Amino acid sequence: MPSAVTPQRRSREISSDDEDIESSVAAASSAAKRIRVNLNGDAAPASSALSLSNAYEPVADEPLQEEVLRSRQTKAKHQPGSIVRVKLANFVTYTSVEFLPGPSLNMVIGPNGTGKSTLVCAICLGLGWGPQHLGRAKDVSEFVKHGEQEANIEIELAGDPQRHRRNPVIKCNIKRENNKSTFSIDGKPSNKKAVIELCKSFTIQIDNLCQFLPQDKVVEFAAMTPVELLRSTQRAVAPQEMLDMHDELKENRKQQKEIEAKVQSDQGALENLENWQRTHADDVQRMREREVVKQRVRYLETARPFPKYREARDAHTIAKQRKKQASDELEALKREVEPSLEAVNAKQAYQQQVETATSARRKAVHDAEKAADSIDRKLKTLHDRKGELEAEVEAEKNGGKDNRKEVARLEQNIARLKKQIEEQPPEFEISGYNERIREKQRAMDDASRRVQDLKRKQEDLGHRGRDKNQRIQQARQDLANLESQAGQQEAKLKSLSIDTFRAWEWIKQHQDEFEQQVYGPPIVECSVTDLRYVDQIETLFQRGQLLTITCQTKNDFKKLGNILHDQMHLAEINMQHMSGTLDNFPPPVNRDQLGQFGLTGWALDYISGPEPVMATLCANARLNSTGMGDRDTSAEHFDLLQNGPIENWVTKRSSYKITRRREYGPSAMSTNVRDVRKAQIWTNQPVDMTAKRDLQENIEGWTSELVDFKREMDEAQVEIEKIRATIRDNQDEVKTLQAEKAWKQKTLADIRALPVKLSQQEERLAAAQQSIAAMRQRLQSIASKQDALTHERAQAAIDYSLAVASLQTRHAELYEAEIALIEAKSDLAYLIEKNTSVKDLLQTKQEEVNECVAQVRHYSDVAKGIFAEIRQIMTGWSEETRIFVEELPQNQTSEELEAEIESERARLDLTHEGNDRGVIQQFEAREQKIQKLRENLEGLREELTEAEERITGVRDRWEPELDRLVGMISRSFGENMKEIGCAGEVGVAKEEDFEDWSIKILVKFRESEPLTPLDSHRQSGGERAVSTIFYLMSLQSLTRSPFRVVDEINQGMDPRNERLVHRRM
C-alpha cells in the first residue's frame, strides 16, 4: 500500500519542524539547494535525487506560481481509497502546489521548514478530520497562509470500480475570518460528516496512529501503552468484527465481574442475616406475646367509653322519671293552696290602686310648686329692674356733675386763650437749624457711600469666594469620581488576585515605612490614554505582569517581601525591584520612522503611569519596542517588518512576534500570530494620577484664597461697623436738632392757632350746656318707668299669694293618699305573713323540680359527650377492634373494665419491657430481606452462567483469529529485525480481564542478550525508534487502509539505523 514517509538525516535537540503551534506563518531559509515555489518568496519542498521509484519530481513545464510534484511513472495501479492527487492553495507555507503520489511507497524528503508536515496536515484536514489529530494548532483558521483570507485543499481518491464511475474529489475551503471549513464532494456542496463517512467507506483511519502518524503525534505514539497498541493494531489490520468482538468481550467480562461482586456481596449479607435471625428468634417470640397483651390493653382502653355511655344513659332515664314525679306534686300543691292566695292577691291589687293615686297627687304638688317658683322668679326680676332704674337715676345725676365741671373748665380755658392772644409770639430762626441738619446729613451720606463701597467689596469677595468654593466642590467631585474609578480598578484587582489586593491595601496604609514610594500593580497605577488601543494594550500583558508590585530600592524589596510572605502569608505575590528609568529602555527606531512600517506609535505612547511602573512594564512586556497599528498589516509592511529591527507589533485584530533562528542562518525566522483579545481591565479608565495631583493642588490653592477672602471680608466688616457707629452718632445729633426745631415750630404754630382753639373751646362749652338740658329730660323719663314698675310688682305679689294657697291644698291631699298607702301595705304584709308556710312549701317543691331538670340536662350532656367520643373512636378503629368491643359483656361496668385493664397491665409488668415493636419490625424486615436476597442470588447465578456462555462463545471466535494476525505480524517483525542483525517477536499478553490484553513486543539488539520487552527503560531511543518503524512496517501486508502516513519516520535514529531502515523499506 502507498505510504508517505518523511525521513530525517540526524536527530536534533529542538523540534524538527519550525512551524509555531499558534501560527501558520513560516519563512523559508535561503539554502542554496532549495527551490522557490512562487514569486512571493513562499517556501516549497525541494526535489532530492532518490533511488526510490516514487520520489517526487517537479514538473519542469509548469509555471513558477504553481509547483506540481509528481511521482515517477510506474505500472502499478492505485488501490481504491488511496490518494491520487493533493492540490493546495494558500495553505500554511504554500501559495499553490499539487502533489501526484504514486500507488506504492512515497517518500517526501527535505530540510526543515520546507513544508513536509504541511502535506500531512493537508491530508488530515482535507479528508474531514480536525486539527486535534495533528497535535498542532487548535483552530483550522491558523492553517491559512499569512496575509490571505482563505485556503483550499483538493484531494482526489482512487475510486472503487464497483461503486464509482470516476475518482471522488474532495474539496475543503478554510475561512480565516470565522474559523470555519466547508466541503464539497465531486463539486457538490457537502459537510464534514459526509466526507468522513466517504473516507470510512474506504477504511481510511486518520484517527489511528498505526495508520496516520503526524510529526507532533510521534511522541504520543511512543507513549502508547501495550493495551492501546493492541486496539490500534486491530483497527489497522483486523476487520471491524474483530474490534466489535473485543469490545463485546470487555463488556461481557465487565458485566461478569459486576455479577460476581454482587453474588459475593449478597451471599455474605444473606449469611449475616440468617445468623442474626437464628440468634434472636426466641426473644422475638417473647416480644410477640408481649405485643399481644399490649394490643389487648389498647383494645380495652378503646372500649372505656362504652360502659360509661350505658351508665350515663341509665342515669338520664332515672332523672327524667324523678322530674315528672316532682312536677306532678308541684301542680297538686298549687291547687290546694289557691284560696289562701286569692286574699293576698286582692290586697295587692288595692295597694297598687292607692300607689297610683299617690303618684298623681305627688305630681300635682310638684306642678303647684313649679307655678309658685315661676311667680317668685318674676318678683325677683321686677325687683332687679327697680334697682337698675335707680342706678340709671344715680348715673344721670353723676353725669350732670361732670358736665357742670366741664362747663367750668371750658370757661377757664376760654379766658386763658383770650389772654394768650393778647401777648406777642417769641422769635425763631429756622434756617440755622436746617443748615446744621444738612451738614450732619451730608456726613451720614458720605459714610453710607463708604459703607456701600465696602459692602460691594464684600459682595465681590463673596462672589469670588463662592466661585472658588464651587471650583473646590467641583474639584472634590472630580476627585471623588477619580477615586470611584480607582475603587473600580481595585475591585478588579481583588477579583483577579485576592492576595495582591490585600498586599496593596497594606502598602497604602504603610507607605511611610519605606525608603521610597512603593507602587501598586499596573491595574491600579496605570491607565490607557487612548481607548482606541485598549484591546491591543491589554493583549501585551500576562496576568503576572498586571499584578506586579514595583519597589524602587533593594531594601524596600526585601522588607516588603518578608512582610507579605512571612508575616501575612500571602502566596500569589509578584514583586520587582526597578531602580532604572524609562531612559534605559529606548525604542529600536525613531518614532518618525514608524510610518513606513504601517505603525502609529509604540505601546509606551498609549499607556500612562508612574515612571518606575512604566519602566517595569518595559522590562517585562517590552512596551518600548512593541509597535502599535490601527489597521491590519499589509503584505508590503509585513515584509519590511520581517527584515527590520522591530520584532513585536500589534494591529487592531492581531498580535505579531518574530522569532529568528540564528543557527539556520539570518533568514530563518518564524512569526507567531495571535488574535487581539477583548479588553477586561481598563474598560473603565482608572485614576489619572497626574489629574488627581492637579486637582489636589487646585483645591489647596483655592482653599488658601478663600482664607484670604475671609480675612479681607472681616477687615471690611470691622470698618463698616466703625462707620455705622459714626452714622448712629450723627443720627442722634440730627434727631436732637430736629426735636428742638420741632418744639420751637410747634410753639410758634400753637400761638398762631390760638384763635382757632378759642373758637373750639366756645363750641365745646355750648355742647356741654346742651348735655345738661338733655339729662334733665332723661330723669323725667326714668321716673315714669319707676311708677309703672311699682304697679306691676303689686300684681305679681297677689298672684304669688294665690299660688302658695293652692300649693298648701295639694300638700294636704298628698298626705291623705300616703296614709291610705301605708294602711294598704300593712294589711298586705299581715296576709303575706299569714301565708308564709304555704309559700315556703311551694318554693321547696319548685326547687326540687328545678333540681330534677338540671340533673336531666346534666346526664343528657354527659351521654352526648361520651357518644360523640364513641363515634370518633368508631371512625378510625380497625375491624379487629370492632370485633373485640362487640364481644365484651353488655352488662360490664366501667369499674369492671378498669379492673380488667389493670390486670392486663400487671401481666405486662411481669415481662421484659423494651422497644418490642421496633425489634419485631426489624425481625420481620430482615426475614423479607433474606427471602429477597435468596431470589436475587438465584437470578444472579443464572445471569453469571449466561455471561460465561457468552464470553466463551465470542472468545472461541475472536482469540484464534487474533493469535493468527499477531503471529503473522510477529513473523514479519522478526524477519525485519533479522535483516539488521537483531531479533524480535510480537505476542499477545493475555490477562484475566480482556481490557488488559495487550501487544507484547520482544526485541534483542545484541547476541549476548535475551529477548526483552520493548520499553523506555531497557532500550535506547534509537533502538525504540527502529523497533517502532519495523512494527509499523510489519502491519503493511495486513493493513486494510488504502494508505498510511508516517511523518518524521527517522526521528531519534542515528545515521546507521537510518540506513538500515531505509534499505529495509
Side-chain angles (χ1 to χ4, degrees):
M1 294 184 182
S3 299
V5 183
T6 307
Q8 179 178 314
R9 289 301 177 188
R10 61 185 59 85
S11 61
R12 299 188 289 118
E13 294 181 355
I14 61 174
S15 172
S16 61
D17 193 337
D18 291 329
E19 295 172 8
D20 194 296
I21 292 178
E22 296 182 5
S23 172
S24 59
V25 182
S29 70
S30 58
K33 294 183 180 180
R34 297 176 60 186
I35 298 176
R36 295 289 181 182
V37 175
N38 53 47
L39 298 178
N40 293 331
D42 297 311
S47 64
S48 176
L50 299 176
S51 61
L52 301 176
S53 61
N54 287 335
Y56 286 127
E57 293 181 339
V59 179
D61 56 353
E62 293 291 337
L64 288 178
Q65 284 288 35
E66 179 177 346
E67 184 79 10
V68 179
L69 301 181
R70 189 187 307 276
S71 66
R72 293 180 178 177
Q73 297 297 324
T74 178
K75 295 181 180 180
K77 294 184 178 180
H78 287 84
Q79 181 181 347
S82 60
I83 298 175
V84 176
R85 179 174 56 88
V86 178
K87 186 177 181 180
L88 308 177
N90 298 325
F91 186 80
V92 191
T93 60
Y94 294 111
T95 298
S96 179
V97 68
E98 186 173 15
F99 296 90
L100 301 173
S104 299
L105 177 66
N106 292 266
M107 280 192 177
V108 180
I109 303 174
N112 293 328
T114 56
K116 303 184 298 298
S117 297
T118 300
L119 174 59
V120 177
C121 295
I123 294 173
C124 175
L125 299 179
L127 294 181
W129 273 267
Q132 67 272 16
H133 297 288
L134 297 172
R136 291 197 165 199
K138 296 181 180 178
D139 299 327
V140 294
S141 63
E142 298 186 24
F143 291 89
V144 179
K145 183 179 180 183
H146 175 72
E148 303 295 337
Q149 296 302 315
E150 63 180 20
N152 292 294
I153 305 172
E154 183 176 332
I155 299 177
E156 180 180 351
L157 301 177
D160 184 354
Q162 297 181 358
R163 293 186 297 157
H164 305 95
R165 288 184 295 178
R166 59 182 180 181
N167 291 341
V169 177
I170 301 171
K171 292 184 179 181
C172 173
N173 177 265
I174 302 174
K175 299 286 187 182
R176 180 190 295 276
E177 182 177 359
N178 56 8
N179 192 33
K180 296 293 184 181
S181 301
T182 57
F183 294 87
S184 65
I185 301 176
D186 295 334
K188 297 180 181 180
S190 184
N191 53 46
K192 180 183 291 188
K193 182 178 180 181
V195 171
I196 293 178
E197 290 296 329
L198 174 62
C199 294
K200 288 184 176 180
S201 69
F202 288 112
T203 323
I204 296 173
Q205 301 176 4
I206 300 296
D207 54 346
N208 186 355
L209 294 180
C210 287
Q211 301 286 55
F212 190 89
L213 185 60
Q215 171 186 343
D216 294 290
K217 290 287 186 175
V218 171
V219 176
E220 183 177 333
F221 179 80
M224 287 177 62
T225 64
V227 174
E228 295 171 340
L229 184 59
L230 173 61
R231 179 166 183 81
S232 297
T233 301
Q234 288 188 90
R235 289 188 62 198
V237 302
Q240 182 63 35
E241 182 183 4
M242 288 283 290
L243 289 171
D244 295 340
M245 285 191 292
H246 191 190
D247 291 338
E248 185 177 357
L249 285 172
K250 290 190 286 187
E251 181 62 27
N252 288 336
R253 176 53 183 160
K254 180 180 178 182
Q255 294 177 1
Q256 183 185 34
K257 289 170 64 178
E258 292 176 353
I259 296 172
E260 289 174 349
K262 290 181 180 179
V263 169
Q264 184 177 1
S265 175
D266 290 354
Q267 185 65 39
L270 178 62
E271 292 175 358
N272 291 334
L273 291 175
E274 289 177 342
N275 291 334
W276 200 97
Q277 294 294 82
R278 288 191 295 271
T279 303
H280 298 84
D282 295 338
D283 294 337
V284 170
Q285 182 62 31
R286 287 192 296 272
M287 292 178 183
R288 284 176 174 169
E289 293 175 357
R290 175 180 171 81
E291 186 64 25
V292 172
V293 177
K294 289 174 65 177
Q295 184 64 34
R296 178 172 178 78
V297 171
R298 285 194 291 271
Y299 287 157
L300 291 173
E301 290 176 344
T302 303
R304 274 175 173 163
F306 291 92
K308 291 181 180 179
Y309 175 73
R310 289 194 296 270
E311 293 172 358
R313 185 182 58 190
D314 295 342
H316 177 260
T317 302
I318 295 172
K320 285 177 65 178
Q321 294 174 355
R322 290 181 57 200
K323 171 193 169 186
K324 184 176 183 307
Q325 181 180 357
S327 299
D328 294 342
E329 292 176 355
L330 177 61
E331 290 300 324
L333 182 60
K334 284 183 178 179
R335 288 193 297 271
E336 182 180 352
V337 298
E338 185 176 359
S340 300
L341 296 175
E342 287 181 354
V344 175
N345 294 335
K347 183 57 69 175
Q348 286 179 341
Y350 172 72
Q351 179 181 339
Q352 291 176 355
Q353 292 175 358
V354 174
E355 287 178 348
T356 301
T358 303
S359 298
R361 292 183 181 184
R362 189 175 289 110
K363 183 177 182 303
V365 170
H366 176 72
D367 293 341
E369 289 177 347
K370 186 175 180 182
D373 290 339
S374 176
I375 297 173
D376 183 58
R377 287 195 297 274
K378 182 177 180 181
L379 284 172
K380 292 180 179 178
T381 302
L382 293 174
H383 179 74
D384 295 338
R385 179 57 179 160
K386 174 186 175 186
E388 292 175 358
L389 292 175
E390 291 176 351
E392 289 180 7
V393 171
E394 186 65 26
E396 290 294 341
K397 289 179 178 181
N398 293 331
K401 294 179 182 179
D402 294 337
N403 286 332
R404 284 192 288 273
K405 291 180 180 178
E406 180 66 17
V407 169
R409 187 182 64 77
L410 289 173
E411 289 176 347
Q412 292 177 358
N413 288 340
I414 290 171
R416 179 175 51 80
L417 289 172
K418 288 180 179 181
K419 183 178 180 181
Q420 289 177 353
I421 290 172
E422 295 176 355
E423 297 177 352
Q424 294 295 328
E427 297 181 359
F428 173 58
E429 183 64 33
I430 191 172
S431 59
Y433 282 98
N434 291 338
E435 182 60 31
R436 291 167 63 189
I437 290 174
R438 281 194 294 271
E439 182 180 354
K440 296 296 182 182
Q441 289 287 356
R442 284 193 294 270
M444 287 191 294
D445 292 340
D446 293 340
S448 297
R449 283 191 292 273
R450 176 58 180 162
V451 169
Q452 293 300 322
D453 292 341
L454 292 173
K455 284 187 176 181
R456 281 192 292 272
K457 179 179 179 180
Q458 285 182 322
E459 290 177 359
D460 179 63
L461 291 172
H463 178 73
R464 294 167 62 188
R466 286 190 295 273
D467 179 64
K468 297 297 182 184
N469 193 40
Q470 290 177 356
R471 292 187 182 183
I472 291 172
Q473 295 300 326
Q474 184 62 41
R476 286 175 177 169
Q477 183 64 36
D478 295 341
L479 188 60
N481 293 337
L482 289 177
E483 293 296 340
S484 176
Q485 293 176 3
Q488 293 178 6
Q489 292 305 110
E490 290 182 354
K492 293 178 181 178
L493 173 62
K494 184 176 182 180
S495 64
L496 193 62
S497 172
I498 187 62
D499 286 352
T500 307
F501 173 78
R502 291 176 56 192
W504 177 232
E505 289 294 311
W506 186 91
I507 291 169
K508 289 191 295 183
Q509 298 174 6
H510 300 82
Q511 281 284 7
D512 55 348
E513 299 180 12
F514 298 100
E515 295 177 357
Q516 295 187 27
Q517 183 173 356
V518 176
Y519 293 97
I523 292 180
V524 297
E525 293 285 5
C526 298
S527 60
V528 177
T529 58
D530 191 339
L531 293 180
R532 294 177 302 169
Y533 296 93
V534 65
D535 294 341
Q536 293 98 307
I537 291 296
E538 284 198 20
T539 301
L540 298 176
F541 296 122
Q542 298 178 3
R543 182 173 181 273
Q545 294 170 348
L546 292 171
L547 299 176
T548 300
I549 297 171
T550 302
C551 299
Q552 300 187 72
T553 67
K554 290 184 178 180
N555 292 335
D556 288 346
F557 180 87
K558 183 177 180 181
K559 178 179 180 179
L560 183 59
N562 293 334
I563 292 173
L564 299 182
H565 292 99
D566 300 338
Q567 297 181 17
M568 299 180 67
H569 304 290
L570 301 179
E572 189 182 16
I573 297 297
N574 296 292
M575 297 171 51
Q576 187 162 341
H577 166 229
M578 175 54 64
S579 58
T581 63
L582 290 177
D583 295 336
N584 298 329
F585 300 95
V589 298
N590 294 332
R591 182 180 176 86
D592 298 337
Q593 299 175 341
L594 286 176
Q596 63 181 346
F597 298 103
L599 304 176
T600 59
W602 301 108
L604 187 61
D605 300 334
Y606 302 106
I607 184 171
S608 66
E611 185 171 2
V613 179
M614 300 301 294
T616 300
L617 293 179
C618 288
N620 296 335
R622 304 180 66 181
L623 298 184
N624 59 306
S625 60
T626 301
M628 304 294 291
D630 56 1
R631 63 190 64 185
D632 293 337
T633 302
S634 65
E636 178 182 359
H637 289 150
F638 184 80
D639 291 339
L640 290 174
L641 288 165
Q642 275 190 321
N643 299 317
I646 301 175
E647 296 182 349
N648 300 277
W649 72 94
V650 185
T651 64
K652 194 170 187 64
R653 292 187 296 181
S654 302
S655 170
Y656 298 82
K657 179 181 179 181
I658 295 178
T659 302
R660 293 180 171 86
R661 307 294 293 269
R662 305 299 181 190
E663 64 270 24
Y664 299 122
S667 299
M669 65 185 72
S670 64
T671 304
N672 183 355
V673 183
R674 293 184 300 158
D675 292 336
V676 172
R677 62 177 183 264
K678 194 67 177 176
Q680 300 292 330
I681 302 300
W682 286 297
T683 51
N684 290 328
Q685 283 299 294
V687 176
D688 186 340
M689 300 308 296
T690 302
K692 180 178 179 181
R693 285 192 293 270
D694 291 342
L695 287 173
Q696 291 174 340
E697 291 173 359
N698 289 338
I699 291 172
E700 292 176 359
W702 292 334
T703 303
S704 177
E705 291 182 16
L706 280 178
V707 173
D708 294 339
F709 292 162
K710 181 68 169 56
R711 177 179 51 76
E712 292 182 19
M713 290 180 70
D714 292 342
E715 292 175 354
Q717 186 64 35
V718 170
E719 187 175 354
I720 287 172
E721 292 299 330
K722 292 180 179 179
I723 295 173
R724 285 178 175 171
T726 303
I727 292 174
R728 286 194 294 270
D729 294 340
N730 289 333
Q731 287 176 342
D732 293 340
E733 293 181 8
V734 168
K735 288 180 181 179
T736 302
L737 290 173
Q738 287 177 343
E740 186 178 347
K741 173 186 173 184
W743 180 80
K744 290 186 177 181
Q745 285 180 333
K746 181 176 179 301
T747 302
L748 183 59
D750 289 342
I751 292 173
R752 292 175 180 173
L754 286 177
V756 177
K757 287 185 178 181
L758 178 59
S759 175
Q760 291 175 351
Q761 292 294 320
E762 290 176 346
E763 291 176 358
R764 293 175 64 184
L765 178 60
Q769 291 174 347
Q770 290 178 359
S771 296
I772 292 174
M775 179 197 65
R776 292 191 181 98
Q777 293 178 357
R778 288 195 296 275
L779 286 174
Q780 291 177 357
S781 175
I782 291 172
S784 299
K785 291 179 181 179
Q786 286 179 335
D787 293 342
L789 182 62
T790 300
H791 178 72
E792 188 175 358
R793 287 180 64 201
Q795 184 62 41
I798 295 172
D799 293 339
Y800 182 71
S801 63
L802 294 175
V804 170
S806 176
L807 178 60
Q808 290 175 349
T809 302
R810 297 293 182 269
H811 271 294
E813 293 174 352
L814 176 60
Y815 295 154
E816 181 181 356
E818 288 179 346
I819 291 171
L821 179 60
I822 292 172
E823 291 176 352
K825 288 182 177 180
S826 176
D827 295 341
L828 179 60
Y830 171 74
L831 291 175
I832 290 174
E833 183 179 359
K834 183 178 179 181
N835 291 283
T836 298
S837 59
V838 176
K839 292 185 68 176
D840 291 342
L841 183 60
L842 283 174
Q843 184 175 0
T844 301
K845 185 55 68 175
Q846 183 65 47
E847 290 176 354
E848 183 180 350
V849 171
N850 293 340
E851 182 179 356
C852 291
V853 170
Q855 288 181 352
V856 170
R857 187 179 297 110
H858 169 71
Y859 289 121
S860 175
D861 294 340
V862 172
K864 288 179 180 179
I866 297 174
F867 185 72
E869 182 180 355
I870 291 173
R871 291 186 63 181
Q872 184 176 2
I873 293 173
M874 293 175 65
T875 302
W877 67 4
S878 63
E879 183 66 18
E880 293 81 1
T881 304
R882 183 186 63 79
I883 295 173
F884 181 85
V885 173
E886 289 178 354
E887 291 176 353
L888 291 175
Q890 294 297 318
N891 58 351
Q892 186 181 36
T893 64
S894 58
E895 289 81 4
E896 293 172 346
L897 181 61
E898 290 296 331
E900 187 173 357
I901 291 173
E902 291 300 324
S903 174
E904 294 296 333
R905 285 179 175 171
R907 290 180 59 191
L908 284 178
D909 294 338
L910 295 177
T911 59
H912 173 71
E913 183 178 2
N915 188 11
D916 301 347
R917 187 59 183 168
V919 172
I920 295 173
Q921 289 177 349
Q922 293 174 6
F923 186 86
E924 294 173 350
R926 274 189 291 272
E927 193 67 34
Q928 294 177 359
K929 287 183 179 179
I930 290 172
Q931 183 61 29
K932 188 175 181 180
L933 282 173
R934 288 171 179 167
E935 296 173 358
N936 289 344
L937 281 172
E938 184 177 354
L940 288 173
R941 291 190 179 99
E942 292 177 359
E943 292 179 8
L944 188 59
T945 302
E946 293 175 358
E948 291 173 350
E949 292 175 354
R950 287 196 302 270
I951 290 174
T952 301
V954 176
R955 182 172 183 175
D956 290 344
R957 290 185 290 121
W958 173 73
E959 186 176 5
E961 182 64 18
L962 178 63
D963 291 338
R964 184 184 68 81
L965 290 174
V966 174
M968 296 173 65
I969 295 171
S970 179
R971 286 191 295 273
S972 177
F973 181 75
E975 291 175 0
N976 288 329
M977 294 293 290
K978 183 177 180 181
E979 288 294 327
I980 64 172
C982 302
E985 65 180 38
V986 180
V988 179
K990 301 178 181 181
E991 303 293 339
E992 182 180 0
D993 289 338
F994 293 100
E995 289 185 350
D996 298 330
W997 282 40
S998 60
I999 289 291
K1000 181 172 63 176
I1001 301 176
L1002 301 176
V1003 295
K1004 182 176 73 171
F1005 286 90
R1006 283 163 286 276
E1007 286 293 335
S1008 60
E1009 295 179 351
L1011 287 171
T1012 57
L1014 179 66
D1015 55 34
S1016 60
H1017 304 291
R1018 295 182 176 90
Q1019 292 82 23
S1020 66
E1023 291 171 346
R1024 291 198 305 274
V1026 170
S1027 302
T1028 300
I1029 191 58
F1030 278 165
Y1031 180 80
L1032 293 176
M1033 291 172 60
S1034 301
L1035 303 179
Q1036 183 67 28
S1037 62
L1038 302 174
T1039 184
R1040 303 176 66 250
S1041 180
F1043 66 86
R1044 303 171 69 205
V1045 176
V1046 181
D1047 195 1
E1048 293 286 358
I1049 193 172
N1050 57 339
Q1051 192 177 78
M1053 297 183 188
D1054 57 18
R1056 174 182 175 276
N1057 286 330
E1058 279 190 18
R1059 288 192 296 272
L1060 292 174
V1061 171
H1062 192 277
R1063 184 169 60 251
R1064 183 60 184 160
M1065 292 175 64

